[in-house]
Coordinates of all heavy atoms in Angstrom, one line a residue:
M1327 N 104.8 11.9 -56.0 CA 106.0 11.1 -55.8 C 106.3 10.9 -54.4 O 107.4 10.7 -53.9 CB 107.2 11.9 -56.5 CG 108.4 11.1 -56.8 SD 108.0 9.6 -57.7 CE 109.2 8.6 -57.0
D1328 N 105.2 10.8 -53.6 CA 105.3 10.5 -52.2 C 105.6 9.0 -51.9 O 105.9 8.6 -50.8 CB 104.0 10.8 -51.5 CG 103.7 12.3 -51.6 OD1 104.7 13.1 -51.6 OD2 102.5 12.7 -51.5
A1329 N 105.5 8.2 -52.9 CA 105.7 6.7 -52.7 C 107.2 6.4 -52.3 O 107.4 5.6 -51.5 CB 105.4 6.0 -54.0
I1330 N 108.1 7.1 -53.0 CA 109.5 6.9 -52.7 C 109.9 7.9 -51.7 O 109.9 9.1 -52.0 CB 110.4 7.0 -54.0 CG1 110.0 5.9 -55.0 CG2 111.9 6.9 -53.6 CD1 110.6 6.0 -56.3
Q1331 N 110.3 7.5 -50.5 CA 110.7 8.5 -49.4 C 112.0 9.1 -49.7 O 112.2 10.3 -49.7 CB 110.6 7.8 -48.1 CG 109.2 7.4 -47.7 CD 109.2 6.6 -46.4 OE1 110.2 6.1 -45.9 NE2 108.0 6.4 -45.9
Y1332 N 113.1 8.2 -49.8 CA 114.4 8.8 -50.1 C 115.4 7.7 -50.5 O 115.1 6.5 -50.3 CB 115.0 9.5 -48.8 CG 115.0 8.7 -47.6 CD1 116.1 7.9 -47.2 CD2 113.9 8.8 -46.7 CE1 116.0 7.2 -46.1 CE2 113.9 8.1 -45.5 CZ 115.0 7.3 -45.2 OH 115.0 6.5 -44.0
A1333 N 116.5 8.0 -51.1 CA 117.5 7.1 -51.5 C 118.4 6.7 -50.2 O 118.6 7.6 -49.4 CB 118.4 7.6 -52.6
V1334 N 118.9 5.5 -50.2 CA 119.7 5.0 -49.1 C 121.1 5.0 -49.5 O 121.4 4.5 -50.6 CB 119.2 3.6 -48.6 CG1 120.1 3.1 -47.5 CG2 117.7 3.7 -48.2
F1335 N 122.0 5.5 -48.7 CA 123.4 5.5 -49.0 C 124.2 4.9 -47.8 O 124.5 5.5 -46.8 CB 124.0 6.9 -49.2 CG 123.4 7.6 -50.4 CD1 122.5 8.5 -50.3 CD2 123.8 7.1 -51.7 CE1 121.9 9.1 -51.4 CE2 123.2 7.7 -52.8 CZ 122.3 8.7 -52.7
T1336 N 124.3 3.5 -47.9 CA 125.1 2.8 -46.9 C 126.3 2.1 -47.6 O 126.4 2.3 -48.8 CB 124.2 1.7 -46.2 OG1 123.8 0.8 -47.2 CG2 123.0 2.3 -45.5
H1337 N 127.1 1.4 -46.9 CA 128.2 0.7 -47.6 C 127.7 -0.3 -48.6 O 128.2 -0.3 -49.7 CB 129.1 0.0 -46.5 CG 129.8 1.0 -45.6 ND1 130.8 1.8 -46.1 CD2 129.7 1.2 -44.3 CE1 131.3 2.5 -45.1 NE2 130.7 2.2 -44.0
K1338 N 126.7 -1.0 -48.2 CA 126.2 -2.0 -49.2 C 125.5 -1.3 -50.4 O 125.7 -1.8 -51.5 CB 125.2 -2.9 -48.5 CG 124.6 -4.0 -49.4 CD 123.6 -4.9 -48.7 CE 123.0 -5.9 -49.6 NZ 122.1 -6.8 -49.0
S1339 N 124.8 -0.3 -50.2 CA 124.1 0.4 -51.3 C 125.1 1.0 -52.2 O 124.9 1.1 -53.4 CB 123.0 1.4 -50.8 OG 123.7 2.4 -50.1
L1340 N 126.2 1.5 -51.7 CA 127.2 2.1 -52.6 C 127.9 1.0 -53.4 O 128.3 1.3 -54.5 CB 128.2 2.9 -51.7 CG 127.6 4.2 -51.1 CD1 128.7 4.8 -50.2 CD2 127.1 5.1 -52.1
R1341 N 128.1 -0.2 -52.8 CA 128.7 -1.3 -53.6 C 127.7 -1.7 -54.7 O 128.2 -2.1 -55.8 CB 129.0 -2.5 -52.7 CG 130.2 -2.4 -51.9 CD 130.6 -3.7 -51.3 NE 129.5 -4.6 -50.9 CZ 129.1 -4.8 -49.7 NH1 129.7 -4.2 -48.7 NH2 128.0 -5.6 -49.4
L1342 N 126.4 -1.6 -54.4 CA 125.4 -2.1 -55.4 C 125.3 -1.1 -56.6 O 124.9 -1.5 -57.7 CB 124.1 -2.3 -54.8 CG 124.0 -3.4 -53.8 CD1 122.6 -3.4 -53.1 CD2 124.2 -4.8 -54.5
L1343 N 125.7 0.2 -56.4 CA 125.7 1.1 -57.5 C 126.5 0.7 -58.7 O 126.2 1.0 -59.9 CB 126.1 2.5 -57.0 CG 125.1 3.3 -56.2 CD1 125.7 4.6 -55.7 CD2 123.8 3.6 -57.0
V1344 N 127.6 0.0 -58.4 CA 128.5 -0.5 -59.5 C 127.7 -1.6 -60.4 O 127.9 -1.6 -61.6 CB 129.8 -1.2 -58.9 CG1 130.6 -1.8 -60.0 CG2 130.5 -0.1 -58.1
K1345 N 126.8 -2.3 -59.8 CA 126.0 -3.3 -60.5 C 124.7 -2.7 -61.0 O 123.8 -3.5 -61.4 CB 125.6 -4.5 -59.5 CG 126.8 -5.2 -59.0 CD 126.3 -6.3 -58.0 CE 127.5 -7.0 -57.4 NZ 127.0 -8.0 -56.4
N1346 N 124.6 -1.4 -61.0 CA 123.4 -0.7 -61.6 C 122.2 -1.0 -60.7 O 121.1 -1.2 -61.2 CB 123.2 -1.0 -63.0 CG 122.5 0.1 -63.7 OD1 122.6 1.3 -63.3 ND2 122.0 -0.1 -64.9
Q1347 N 122.4 -1.1 -59.4 CA 121.3 -1.4 -58.5 C 121.2 -0.2 -57.5 O 122.2 0.2 -57.0 CB 121.5 -2.7 -57.7 CG 121.5 -3.9 -58.5 CD 121.7 -5.2 -57.7 OE1 122.3 -5.1 -56.6 NE2 121.3 -6.3 -58.2
Y1348 N 120.0 0.3 -57.3 CA 119.7 1.5 -56.5 C 118.8 1.1 -55.3 O 118.0 0.2 -55.5 CB 119.1 2.6 -57.3 CG 120.0 3.1 -58.4 CD1 120.0 2.4 -59.7 CD2 120.8 4.1 -58.2 CE1 120.8 2.9 -60.7 CE2 121.6 4.6 -59.2 CZ 121.6 4.0 -60.5 OH 122.5 4.4 -61.5
T1349 N 119.1 1.7 -54.2 CA 118.4 1.4 -53.0 C 117.5 2.6 -52.5 O 118.0 3.7 -52.4 CB 119.3 1.0 -51.9 OG1 120.2 0.0 -52.4 CG2 118.6 0.5 -50.6
F1350 N 116.2 2.3 -52.2 CA 115.3 3.4 -51.8 C 114.5 2.9 -50.6 O 114.2 1.7 -50.5 CB 114.3 3.7 -52.9 CG 114.9 4.3 -54.1 CD1 115.2 3.6 -55.2 CD2 115.3 5.7 -54.1 CE1 115.8 4.1 -56.4 CE2 115.9 6.2 -55.3 CZ 116.1 5.5 -56.4
N1351 N 114.1 3.8 -49.7 CA 113.1 3.5 -48.7 C 111.8 4.0 -49.3 O 111.7 5.1 -49.8 CB 113.4 4.2 -47.4 CG 114.5 3.5 -46.6 OD1 114.8 2.4 -46.9 ND2 114.9 4.1 -45.6
V1352 N 110.8 3.1 -49.2 CA 109.5 3.5 -49.8 C 108.4 3.2 -48.7 O 108.6 2.6 -47.7 CB 109.2 2.7 -51.1 CG1 110.2 3.0 -52.2 CG2 109.2 1.2 -50.8
E1353 N 107.2 3.7 -49.0 CA 106.1 3.4 -48.1 C 105.8 1.9 -48.0 O 105.8 1.2 -49.0 CB 104.8 4.2 -48.6 CG 104.9 5.7 -48.5 CD 103.6 6.3 -48.9 OE1 102.6 5.6 -49.2 OE2 103.6 7.6 -49.0
S1354 N 105.4 1.5 -46.9 CA 105.3 0.0 -46.7 C 104.0 -0.5 -47.3 O 103.9 -1.7 -47.5 CB 105.4 -0.3 -45.2 OG 104.3 0.3 -44.5
G1355 N 103.0 0.3 -47.5 CA 101.7 -0.1 -48.0 C 101.7 -0.4 -49.5 O 100.7 -0.9 -50.0
L1356 N 102.7 0.0 -50.3 CA 102.7 -0.1 -51.7 C 103.1 -1.5 -52.2 O 103.9 -2.2 -51.5 CB 103.6 0.9 -52.3 CG 103.3 2.4 -52.1 CD1 104.3 3.3 -52.6 CD2 101.9 2.7 -52.7
T1357 N 102.6 -1.9 -53.3 CA 103.0 -3.2 -53.9 C 104.2 -3.0 -54.8 O 104.6 -1.9 -55.1 CB 101.9 -3.8 -54.8 OG1 101.6 -2.9 -55.8 CG2 100.6 -4.0 -53.9
R1358 N 104.8 -4.1 -55.2 CA 106.0 -4.0 -56.0 C 105.7 -3.4 -57.4 O 106.5 -2.7 -57.9 CB 106.6 -5.4 -56.2 CG 107.1 -6.0 -54.9 CD 107.4 -7.5 -55.0 NE 108.5 -7.8 -55.8 CZ 109.7 -8.1 -55.3 NH1 109.9 -8.1 -54.0 NH2 110.7 -8.4 -56.1
T1359 N 104.6 -3.8 -58.0 CA 104.3 -3.2 -59.3 C 104.0 -1.7 -59.2 O 104.4 -1.0 -60.2 CB 103.0 -4.0 -59.9 OG1 101.9 -3.9 -58.9 CG2 103.3 -5.4 -60.1
E1360 N 103.4 -1.3 -58.1 CA 103.2 0.2 -58.0 C 104.6 0.9 -57.9 O 104.8 2.0 -58.5 CB 102.4 0.5 -56.8 CG 100.9 0.1 -56.9 CD 100.2 0.2 -55.6 OE1 100.8 0.3 -54.5 OE2 98.9 0.3 -55.7
I1361 N 105.5 0.4 -57.1 CA 106.8 1.0 -57.0 C 107.5 1.0 -58.3 O 108.2 1.9 -58.7 CB 107.6 0.3 -55.8 CG1 106.9 0.5 -54.5 CG2 109.0 0.8 -55.8 CD1 107.4 -0.3 -53.4
K1362 N 107.5 -0.2 -59.0 CA 108.1 -0.3 -60.3 C 107.6 0.8 -61.3 O 108.3 1.5 -62.0 CB 107.9 -1.7 -60.9 CG 108.6 -1.8 -62.3 CD 108.4 -3.2 -62.8 CE 109.0 -3.4 -64.1 NZ 108.8 -4.7 -64.7
H1363 N 106.3 1.0 -61.3 CA 105.6 2.0 -62.1 C 106.1 3.4 -61.8 O 106.4 4.2 -62.6 CB 104.1 1.9 -62.0 CG 103.4 3.0 -62.7 ND1 103.3 3.0 -64.1 CD2 102.7 4.0 -62.2 CE1 102.6 4.1 -64.4 NE2 102.2 4.7 -63.3
W1364 N 106.2 3.7 -60.5 CA 106.6 5.0 -60.0 C 108.1 5.3 -60.4 O 108.4 6.4 -60.9 CB 106.5 5.2 -58.5 CG 105.1 5.5 -58.1 CD1 104.2 4.7 -57.4 CD2 104.5 6.8 -58.2 NE1 103.1 5.4 -57.1 CE2 103.2 6.7 -57.6 CE3 104.9 8.0 -58.8 CZ2 102.3 7.7 -57.6 CZ3 104.0 9.0 -58.8 CH2 102.7 8.9 -58.2
V1365 N 108.9 4.3 -60.3 CA 110.4 4.5 -60.6 C 110.5 4.7 -62.1 O 111.2 5.6 -62.5 CB 111.2 3.3 -60.1 CG1 112.6 3.3 -60.7 CG2 111.3 3.3 -58.6
E1366 N 109.9 3.9 -62.9 CA 110.0 4.0 -64.4 C 109.4 5.3 -64.8 O 109.9 5.9 -65.7 CB 109.3 2.8 -65.0 CG 110.1 1.5 -64.9 CD 109.4 0.3 -65.6 OE1 108.2 0.4 -65.9 OE2 110.1 -0.7 -65.8
L1367 N 108.3 5.7 -64.2 CA 107.6 7.0 -64.7 C 108.4 8.2 -64.2 O 108.7 9.1 -65.0 CB 106.2 7.0 -64.1 CG 105.4 8.2 -64.4 CD1 105.0 8.2 -65.9 CD2 104.1 8.3 -63.6
F1368 N 108.9 8.2 -63.0 CA 109.6 9.4 -62.5 C 111.0 9.6 -63.0 O 111.4 10.7 -63.4 CB 109.6 9.3 -60.9 CG 110.1 10.6 -60.3 CD1 109.3 11.8 -60.3 CD2 111.3 10.6 -59.7 CE1 109.8 12.9 -59.7 CE2 111.8 11.8 -59.1 CZ 111.1 12.9 -59.1
F1369 N 111.8 8.5 -63.0 CA 113.2 8.6 -63.4 C 113.4 8.3 -64.9 O 114.5 8.5 -65.4 CB 114.0 7.6 -62.6 CG 114.1 8.0 -61.2 CD1 113.5 7.2 -60.2 CD2 114.7 9.2 -60.7 CE1 113.6 7.5 -58.9 CE2 114.8 9.5 -59.4 CZ 114.2 8.7 -58.5
G1370 N 112.4 7.7 -65.6 CA 112.5 7.5 -67.1 C 113.5 6.3 -67.3 O 114.3 6.4 -68.3
V1371 N 113.5 5.3 -66.5 CA 114.4 4.1 -66.7 C 113.6 2.8 -66.9 O 112.3 2.8 -66.7 CB 115.3 4.0 -65.5 CG1 116.2 5.2 -65.4 CG2 114.5 3.8 -64.2
K1372 N 114.2 1.7 -67.2 CA 113.6 0.4 -67.3 C 114.1 -0.4 -66.2 O 115.3 -0.6 -66.0 CB 113.9 -0.2 -68.7 CG 113.3 0.5 -69.9 CD 111.8 0.5 -69.9 CE 111.3 -0.7 -70.5 NZ 109.8 -0.7 -70.5
V1373 N 113.2 -1.0 -65.5 CA 113.6 -1.9 -64.3 C 113.6 -3.3 -64.7 O 112.6 -3.8 -65.3 CB 112.5 -1.6 -63.2 CG1 112.8 -2.6 -62.0 CG2 112.6 -0.2 -62.7
I1374 N 114.7 -4.0 -64.4 CA 114.8 -5.5 -64.6 C 114.2 -6.2 -63.4 O 113.3 -7.1 -63.6 CB 116.2 -5.9 -64.8 CG1 116.9 -5.3 -66.0 CG2 116.3 -7.4 -64.8 CD1 118.3 -5.7 -66.2
A1375 N 114.7 -5.9 -62.2 CA 114.3 -6.7 -61.1 C 114.1 -5.8 -59.8 O 114.7 -4.7 -59.8 CB 115.3 -7.8 -60.8
M1376 N 113.4 -6.3 -58.9 CA 113.2 -5.5 -57.6 C 113.3 -6.5 -56.5 O 112.6 -7.6 -56.5 CB 111.9 -4.8 -57.6 CG 111.8 -3.8 -58.7 SD 110.2 -3.0 -58.8 CE 109.9 -2.5 -57.1
N1377 N 114.0 -6.2 -55.4 CA 114.1 -7.0 -54.2 C 113.6 -6.1 -53.1 O 114.0 -4.9 -53.1 CB 115.5 -7.5 -53.9 CG 116.0 -8.5 -55.0 OD1 115.2 -9.2 -55.6 ND2 117.2 -8.5 -55.2
S1378 N 112.9 -6.6 -52.1 CA 112.4 -5.8 -51.0 C 112.5 -6.5 -49.7 O 112.4 -7.7 -49.7 CB 111.0 -5.3 -51.3 OG 110.1 -6.4 -51.2
H1379 N 112.6 -5.8 -48.6 CA 112.4 -6.3 -47.3 C 111.8 -5.2 -46.4 O 112.1 -4.0 -46.6 CB 113.7 -6.9 -46.8 CG 114.8 -5.9 -46.7 ND1 115.6 -5.6 -47.7 CD2 115.3 -5.2 -45.6 CE1 116.5 -4.7 -47.3 NE2 116.4 -4.5 -46.1
R1380 N 111.0 -5.6 -45.4 CA 110.4 -4.7 -44.5 C 111.3 -4.5 -43.3 O 111.8 -5.5 -42.7 CB 109.1 -5.2 -44.0 CG 108.0 -4.8 -45.0 CD 106.7 -5.2 -44.4 NE 106.3 -4.2 -43.4 CZ 105.1 -4.2 -42.9 NH1 104.2 -5.1 -43.2 NH2 104.8 -3.3 -42.0
L1381 N 111.5 -3.3 -42.9 CA 112.3 -3.0 -41.7 C 111.4 -2.6 -40.6 O 110.5 -1.8 -40.9 CB 113.3 -1.9 -42.1 CG 114.4 -2.3 -43.1 CD1 115.0 -1.1 -43.7 CD2 115.4 -3.2 -42.5
P1382 N 111.6 -3.1 -39.4 CA 110.7 -2.8 -38.3 C 110.9 -1.4 -37.8 O 112.0 -0.8 -38.0 CB 111.0 -3.8 -37.3 CG 112.4 -4.1 -37.5 CD 112.6 -4.0 -39.0
G1383 N 109.9 -0.8 -37.3 CA 110.1 0.6 -36.6 C 110.8 0.4 -35.3 O 110.9 -0.6 -34.7
K1384 N 111.5 1.5 -35.0 CA 112.3 1.5 -33.7 C 111.4 1.7 -32.5 O 110.4 2.4 -32.6 CB 113.3 2.6 -33.8 CG 114.3 2.4 -34.9 CD 115.3 3.5 -34.9 CE 116.4 3.3 -36.0 NZ 117.3 4.4 -36.0
V1385 N 111.7 1.1 -31.4 CA 111.0 1.2 -30.2 C 111.3 2.6 -29.6 O 112.4 3.0 -29.4 CB 111.3 0.1 -29.2 CG1 110.6 0.3 -27.9 CG2 110.9 -1.2 -29.8
R1386 N 110.2 3.3 -29.2 CA 110.4 4.6 -28.6 C 109.6 4.6 -27.2 O 108.5 4.0 -27.1 CB 109.8 5.7 -29.5 CG 110.5 5.9 -30.8 CD 111.9 6.5 -30.5 NE 112.6 6.7 -31.8 CZ 113.9 6.4 -31.9 NH1 114.6 6.0 -31.0 NH2 114.4 6.6 -33.1
R1387 N 110.1 5.3 -26.3 CA 109.5 5.4 -25.0 C 109.3 6.8 -24.6 O 110.2 7.6 -24.7 CB 110.4 4.7 -23.9 CG 109.8 4.8 -22.6 CD 110.7 4.1 -21.6 NE 109.9 3.6 -20.5 CZ 109.8 2.4 -20.2 NH1 110.5 1.5 -20.8 NH2 109.0 2.0 -19.2
K1388 N 108.1 7.1 -24.1 CA 107.7 8.5 -23.6 C 107.2 8.3 -22.2 O 106.0 8.0 -22.1 CB 106.7 9.1 -24.6 CG 106.4 10.5 -24.2 CD 107.2 11.5 -24.9 CE 106.7 12.9 -24.6 NZ 107.4 13.9 -25.3
K1389 N 108.0 8.4 -21.2 CA 107.7 8.1 -19.8 C 107.1 6.7 -19.7 O 107.8 5.8 -20.1 CB 106.7 9.2 -19.3 CG 107.3 10.6 -19.4 CD 108.2 10.9 -18.2 CE 108.7 12.4 -18.4 NZ 109.3 12.9 -17.3
P1390 N 105.9 6.5 -19.2 CA 105.4 5.1 -19.0 C 104.9 4.5 -20.3 O 104.6 3.3 -20.3 CB 104.3 5.3 -18.0 CG 103.7 6.6 -18.3 CD 104.9 7.5 -18.7
I1391 N 104.8 5.2 -21.4 CA 104.1 4.7 -22.6 C 105.2 4.2 -23.6 O 106.1 4.9 -23.9 CB 103.3 5.8 -23.2 CG1 102.2 6.2 -22.3 CG2 102.7 5.3 -24.5 CD1 101.5 7.5 -22.7
M1392 N 105.1 2.9 -24.0 CA 106.0 2.4 -25.0 C 105.3 2.5 -26.4 O 104.1 2.3 -26.5 CB 106.3 0.9 -24.7 CG 107.1 0.7 -23.5 SD 108.8 1.2 -23.7 CE 109.4 0.0 -24.8
G1393 N 106.1 2.9 -27.3 CA 105.5 3.0 -28.7 C 106.6 2.6 -29.7 O 107.7 2.1 -29.3
H1394 N 106.3 2.8 -30.9 CA 107.4 2.6 -32.0 C 107.1 3.5 -33.1 O 106.0 4.0 -33.3 CB 107.4 1.1 -32.4 CG 106.0 0.7 -33.0 ND1 105.7 0.8 -34.3 CD2 105.0 0.0 -32.4 CE1 104.5 0.4 -34.5 NE2 104.0 -0.1 -33.4
T1395 N 108.2 3.7 -33.9 CA 108.0 4.5 -35.2 C 107.4 3.6 -36.2 O 107.3 2.4 -36.1 CB 109.4 5.0 -35.6 OG1 110.3 3.9 -35.8 CG2 110.0 5.9 -34.6
M1396 N 107.1 4.2 -37.4 CA 106.4 3.4 -38.4 C 107.4 2.4 -39.1 O 108.6 2.7 -39.2 CB 105.9 4.4 -39.5 CG 104.8 5.3 -39.0 SD 103.3 4.5 -38.6 CE 102.8 3.9 -40.1
H1397 N 106.8 1.3 -39.6 CA 107.5 0.4 -40.4 C 107.8 1.0 -41.8 O 107.0 1.9 -42.2 CB 106.8 -0.9 -40.6 CG 106.3 -1.6 -39.4 ND1 107.1 -2.1 -38.4 CD2 105.1 -1.7 -38.9 CE1 106.5 -2.6 -37.4 NE2 105.2 -2.4 -37.7
Y1398 N 108.8 0.5 -42.5 CA 109.0 1.0 -43.8 C 109.7 -0.1 -44.6 O 110.1 -1.1 -44.1 CB 109.9 2.3 -43.9 CG 111.2 2.2 -43.2 CD1 112.4 1.9 -44.0 CD2 111.4 2.4 -41.9 CE1 113.6 1.8 -43.4 CE2 112.7 2.3 -41.3 CZ 113.8 2.0 -42.1 OH 115.0 1.9 -41.5
R1399 N 109.6 0.0 -45.9 CA 110.1 -1.0 -46.8 C 111.3 -0.5 -47.6 O 111.3 0.7 -48.0 CB 109.0 -1.4 -47.8 CG 109.5 -2.4 -48.8 CD 108.3 -2.8 -49.7 NE 107.4 -3.6 -49.0 CZ 106.3 -4.1 -49.6 NH1 106.0 -3.8 -50.8 NH2 105.5 -4.9 -48.9
R1400 N 112.4 -1.3 -47.7 CA 113.5 -1.0 -48.5 C 113.5 -1.8 -49.8 O 113.4 -3.0 -49.8 CB 114.8 -1.2 -47.7 CG 116.1 -0.8 -48.4 CD 117.2 -0.7 -47.5 NE 117.1 0.4 -46.6 CZ 117.8 0.6 -45.5 NH1 118.8 -0.3 -45.2 NH2 117.6 1.6 -44.7
M1401 N 113.7 -1.1 -50.9 CA 113.7 -1.7 -52.2 C 115.1 -1.6 -52.8 O 115.7 -0.5 -52.8 CB 112.7 -1.0 -53.1 CG 111.3 -1.0 -52.7 SD 110.5 -2.7 -52.7 CE 110.6 -3.1 -54.3
I1402 N 115.5 -2.7 -53.4 CA 116.8 -2.7 -54.2 C 116.3 -2.9 -55.6 O 115.8 -3.9 -56.0 CB 117.7 -3.8 -53.7 CG1 118.1 -3.5 -52.3 CG2 119.0 -3.8 -54.6 CD1 119.0 -4.6 -51.6
I1403 N 116.5 -1.9 -56.5 CA 116.0 -1.9 -57.8 C 117.1 -2.0 -58.8 O 118.1 -1.3 -58.8 CB 115.2 -0.6 -58.1 CG1 114.1 -0.5 -57.1 CG2 114.8 -0.5 -59.5 CD1 113.4 0.9 -57.1
T1404 N 117.0 -3.0 -59.7 CA 118.1 -3.3 -60.7 C 117.6 -2.7 -62.0 O 116.4 -3.0 -62.5 CB 118.3 -4.8 -60.9 OG1 118.7 -5.3 -59.6 CG2 119.5 -5.1 -61.8
L1405 N 118.4 -1.9 -62.7 CA 118.0 -1.3 -63.9 C 118.7 -2.0 -65.1 O 119.7 -2.7 -65.0 CB 118.5 0.2 -63.9 CG 118.0 1.1 -62.8 CD1 118.5 2.5 -63.0 CD2 116.5 1.1 -62.8
H1406 N 118.1 -1.9 -66.3 CA 118.7 -2.4 -67.5 C 120.0 -1.7 -67.8 O 120.2 -0.6 -67.4 CB 117.8 -2.0 -68.7 CG 116.7 -3.0 -68.9 ND1 116.8 -4.2 -69.6 CD2 115.3 -3.0 -68.6 CE1 115.7 -4.9 -69.6 NE2 114.8 -4.1 -69.0
P1407 N 120.9 -2.4 -68.4 CA 122.2 -1.8 -68.8 C 122.0 -0.6 -69.6 O 121.2 -0.6 -70.5 CB 123.0 -2.9 -69.5 CG 122.3 -4.2 -69.1 CD 120.9 -3.8 -68.8
G1408 N 122.8 0.5 -69.4 CA 122.6 1.7 -70.2 C 121.8 2.7 -69.5 O 121.8 3.9 -69.9
Y1409 N 121.0 2.3 -68.5 CA 120.1 3.3 -67.8 C 120.8 3.6 -66.4 O 121.5 2.7 -65.9 CB 118.7 2.7 -67.5 CG 117.8 2.6 -68.7 CD1 117.7 1.4 -69.5 CD2 117.1 3.7 -69.1 CE1 116.9 1.4 -70.5 CE2 116.3 3.7 -70.2 CZ 116.2 2.5 -70.9 OH 115.4 2.4 -72.0
S1410 N 120.6 4.8 -66.0 CA 121.0 5.2 -64.6 C 120.1 6.3 -64.1 O 119.4 6.9 -64.9 CB 122.5 5.6 -64.6 OG 122.6 6.8 -65.3
I1411 N 120.1 6.4 -62.8 CA 119.3 7.5 -62.2 C 120.2 8.7 -62.1 O 121.2 8.6 -61.3 CB 118.7 7.0 -60.9 CG1 117.8 5.9 -61.2 CG2 118.0 8.2 -60.2 CD1 117.1 5.2 -60.0
P1412 N 120.0 9.8 -62.8 CA 120.9 10.9 -62.9 C 121.4 11.5 -61.5 O 122.6 11.7 -61.3 CB 120.2 11.9 -63.7 CG 119.2 11.2 -64.5 CD 118.8 10.0 -63.6
P1413 N 120.5 11.8 -60.6 CA 121.0 12.5 -59.4 C 121.9 11.6 -58.5 O 122.7 12.1 -57.7 CB 119.8 12.8 -58.6 CG 118.6 12.6 -59.5 CD 119.1 11.8 -60.6
L1414 N 121.9 10.3 -58.7 CA 122.6 9.4 -57.9 C 123.9 8.9 -58.5 O 124.8 8.5 -57.8 CB 121.8 8.1 -57.6 CG 120.5 8.4 -56.9 CD1 119.7 7.1 -56.7 CD2 120.7 9.1 -55.5
K1415 N 124.1 9.0 -59.8 CA 125.3 8.5 -60.5 C 125.7 9.5 -61.6 O 125.0 9.9 -62.4 CB 125.0 7.1 -61.1 CG 126.2 6.4 -61.4 CD 125.9 5.0 -61.8 CE 127.1 4.2 -62.1 NZ 126.9 2.9 -62.4

């Protein structure tokens, strides 16, 4: 279950919980079908739709060297009515 890093709890994601939509940060290298498969398998729910966007890594500086943290992908997952993810709701 390394594909899903953690659930996101922001103002927008808490508003989306009312619409049965859950927000997760996932690994950026995975495809949408792989993430859908992991969510359905791990949580035992049926997924209607998935929206995603890539968030850039933050710029970090260590003395003269500039670098950045890893990119990651945020998924907004819509579930069928009647399904919910137990630890979140």
Side-chain angles (χ1 to χ4, degrees):
M1327 199 50 216
D1328 296 331
I1330 298 174
Q1331 294 175 346
Y1332 54 88
V1334 177
F1335 296 106
T1336 60
H1337 291 293
K1338 181 179 179 179
S1339 66
L1340 293 176
R1341 280 195 325 256
L1342 291 175
L1343 284 175
V1344 176
K1345 298 178 184 178
N1346 210 18
Q1347 295 180 335
Y1348 296 87
T1349 308
F1350 296 99
N1351 281 351
V1352 297
E1353 290 183 9
S1354 61
L1356 296 174
T1357 63
R1358 294 165 74 98
T1359 54
E1360 290 173 339
I1361 295 168
K1362 180 179 178 181
H1363 173 71
W1364 277 109
V1365 169
E1366 288 180 345
L1367 183 69
F1368 187 73
F1369 295 113
V1371 296
K1372 296 296 276 180
V1373 175
I1374 294 176
M1376 296 174 54
N1377 297 327
S1378 68
H1379 59 279
R1380 275 186 78 171
L1381 297 162
K1384 296 181 179 179
V1385 175
R1386 297 289 183 221
R1387 176 181 210 118
K1388 182 94 174 180
K1389 302 274 181 171
I1391 300 169
M1392 291 290 289
H1394 60 85
T1395 59
M1396 295 295 292
H1397 305 293
Y1398 58 96
R1399 179 180 283 180
R1400 183 165 289 168
M1401 299 294 298
I1402 300 173
I1403 299 170
T1404 306
L1405 303 181
H1406 276 280
Y1409 286 97
S1410 67
I1411 297 177
L1414 303 177
K1415 194 170 184 183

